[in-house]
Amino acid sequence: MSLSPVEGVALAEIESGGPEAPERKDVVGRSPGRLAWIRLRRDRTAMVSGGMLLFFMLLALAAPLVELLYGIGPKEQFQNLLDGFGMPLGYSGGVTGDHWFGLEPGLGRDIFIRLIYGLRTSLFIAFAAAVITAALGVVLGTLAGYLGGWLDAVINWITDLTLAMPFLVIALALTPTLVLRFYGEREAVSPAFGVAVLIGVFAIFGWTSTARLVRGQVIALREREFVEAARASGAGLGHMLFRQLLPNIWAPILVSFSLAVPQFITSEAALSFIGVGLSDETPSFGRMIYRSLDYLQTDPAYVFFPGITIFALVFAFNLFGDALRDALDPKSSR
């Protein structure tokens, strides 16, 4: 009798003789997802990084509530708290009980509340782009791997063509073109439009890695006995894809998604840094770091707070993605 990969993972965990072996009766019947959660929960790195991510996500989701409690909006300016050279009065860039991270030189906007909204912007763009790219990659990769033939050749050709395109050059050329197409030269670009453009650019280039990963997994599974049995029983294409194949490759897809989010966060910050996509009115880590370069010596706190925030966010995502990959691997020693 041949077992599907999902059943094989559960059986491997039962027979591994790990910490759960003495309680053999408790292990029997646990799903692979449950076993992965047990391994993930034992990993202190996963718990700490997961807690940090949960904290950042709650801050991003509760940005309007934080603004209400903090009493300051992201566009408010405090010119009266700047000196004649536009520098914040006081120490460490104007850090006070009213302005926890100080003020921006020149405009006098509160850094803390703009960081909260910048966190919301980055996470929204990253998660939206990751969901779209994962969906495209899974659909195209599954169809290419299972059906093969001319469809596989066409999808592979499109994948190679997309990978050959220089991401930064296309982004620099595409964004101003779209802005001029929908807005005049003197019209203010809507923040929502800039966010949508960035998500679209990431979606165009980001689906290829997931598609290739899924295609390889499907090719390895399509000749297995359980797939042949389902095909012989008259199962349709939808049943084969969504009931037989996808449930057995969800682990690498989930890991790929968790590692794609921090890549999109850093990409959004990099593009915003060079002025692509988001305007200065939209709170963004990249725009804040760009504006802070002129004040590295006179106001180092201005670059420190956004820099350490994006570092902590991306670092936590990478740690959690690595821990998730180890938890989903039944042969992992962790």
Side-chain angles (χ1 to χ4, degrees):
M1 181 180 66
S2 175
L3 298 176
S4 71
V6 173
E7 296 168 336
V9 170
L11 184 60
E13 183 71 18
I14 294 173
E15 295 176 349
S16 62
E20 299 289 326
E23 301 295 334
R24 193 176 184 85
K25 293 182 179 179
D26 294 335
V27 175
V28 175
R30 287 178 177 173
S31 66
R34 176 63 177 169
L35 296 173
W37 167 245
I38 293 174
R39 288 192 292 268
L40 190 67
R41 194 172 54 187
R42 294 199 202 106
D43 192 338
R44 293 183 179 179
T45 301
M47 292 295 98
V48 173
S49 58
M52 291 178 60
L53 292 180
L54 182 61
F55 172 73
F56 283 129
M57 292 179 186
L58 289 178
L59 276 181
L61 290 173
L65 179 60
V66 174
E67 177 185 352
L68 180 64
L69 296 176
Y70 192 56
I72 298 175
K75 297 182 179 180
E76 292 186 50
Q77 299 183 12
F78 298 88
Q79 299 284 344
N80 60 313
L81 299 180
L82 304 179
D83 61 18
F85 299 97
M87 300 300 297
L89 299 172
Y91 298 99
S92 300
V95 174
T96 62
D98 295 328
H99 305 283
W100 295 351
F101 290 175
L103 300 174
E104 288 183 341
L107 296 177
R109 296 178 299 193
D110 187 88
I111 294 178
F112 172 76
I113 195 62
R114 288 190 66 82
L115 274 181
I116 298 299
Y117 275 91
L119 185 67
R120 190 184 197 189
T121 301
S122 294
L123 287 177
F124 175 77
I125 292 175
F127 272 103
V131 169
I132 294 174
T133 55
L136 287 174
V138 168
V139 172
L140 295 177
T142 304
L143 290 174
Y146 181 72
L147 297 178
W150 66 268
L151 181 61
D152 185 24
V154 170
I155 293 177
N156 279 328
W157 182 82
I158 296 175
T159 302
D160 294 336
L161 180 64
T162 304
L163 290 173
M165 294 180 181
F167 168 73
L168 186 58
V169 174
I170 297 297
L172 287 172
L174 184 61
T175 304
T177 303
L178 291 175
V179 170
L180 291 177
R181 174 64 179 81
F182 293 96
Y183 292 88
E185 294 184 0
R186 298 183 179 181
E187 291 183 80
V189 180
S190 169
F193 180 81
V195 170
V197 168
L198 283 183
I199 294 174
V201 170
F202 291 150
I204 292 174
F205 289 92
W207 61 272
T208 53
S209 59
T210 303
R212 286 196 162 181
L213 173 66
V214 172
R215 175 181 177 272
Q217 295 288 326
V218 171
I219 289 176
L221 290 175
R222 69 183 181 185
E223 304 300 331
R224 296 286 295 272
E225 288 83 352
F226 72 95
V227 176
E228 292 288 349
R231 188 184 297 117
S233 65
L237 179 62
H239 177 88
M240 296 299 300
L241 297 182
F242 297 104
R243 299 295 298 275
Q244 299 295 329
L245 294 174
L246 287 183
N248 290 294
I249 59 174
W250 63 270
I253 294 174
L254 186 59
V255 173
S256 176
F257 179 88
S258 67
L259 296 178
V261 173
Q263 294 178 2
F264 290 136
I265 292 175
T266 54
S267 297
E268 179 272 324
L271 291 177
S272 300
F273 181 86
I274 59 178
V276 176
L278 301 181
S279 63
D280 189 64
E281 292 297 319
T282 305
S284 167
F285 291 124
R287 296 305 299 168
M288 293 183 71
I289 294 175
Y290 173 77
R291 286 180 50 82
S292 68
L293 294 182
D294 295 332
Y295 307 97
L296 286 177
Q297 295 183 348
T298 56
D299 189 5
Y302 187 18
V303 70
F304 172 78
F305 289 115
I308 197 65
T309 302
I310 191 173
F311 169 79
L313 178 62
V314 174
F315 188 58
F317 262 114
N318 286 329
L319 287 179
F320 187 78
D322 290 338
L324 182 63
R325 179 180 55 198
D326 293 334
L328 294 172
D329 182 7
K331 297 180 181 179
S332 175
S333 60
R334 294 181 63 179

